[in-house]
Amino acid sequence: MALQPYQQRVVEEQADNDARLARLTAFIGSETFASVAPDEQARLERQRGIMQELSQVLGERIEAFEA
């Protein structure tokens, strides 16, 4: 199925977000993360949750393109 240009942008947005999310998750699991101030750790954890939610929403949109 050929995607419309706006649909292709959604697919690319999800891929970009997922790549950033993977890097952030790796950082959170690293020894370096333990040296980050607790307030910043909390913000990074919040950011990861938001990025996970965004990926889910974008995935739902992509699934709807195929419906």
Side-chain angles (χ1 to χ4, degrees):
M1 171 175 119
L3 297 175
Q4 296 293 318
Y6 81 92
Q7 293 171 324
Q8 185 60 43
R9 286 191 298 273
V10 173
V11 170
E12 291 167 5
E13 181 179 353
Q14 186 187 38
D16 291 344
N17 180 71
D18 289 352
R20 289 190 310 273
L21 177 57
R23 289 190 301 272
L24 177 58
T25 298
F27 175 69
I28 288 172
S30 73
E31 291 181 20
T32 305
F33 183 72
S35 68
V36 173
D39 288 348
E40 184 65 6
Q41 287 181 2
R43 285 187 287 270
L44 289 166
E45 292 282 3
R46 261 185 40 223
Q47 179 179 341
R48 178 170 60 170
I50 291 166
M51 293 171 78
Q52 289 169 331
E53 179 75 16
L54 176 59
S55 182
Q56 181 178 349
V57 170
L58 292 171
E60 290 170 8
R61 291 183 63 198
I62 292 165
E63 286 178 17
F65 296 158
E66 300 169 2

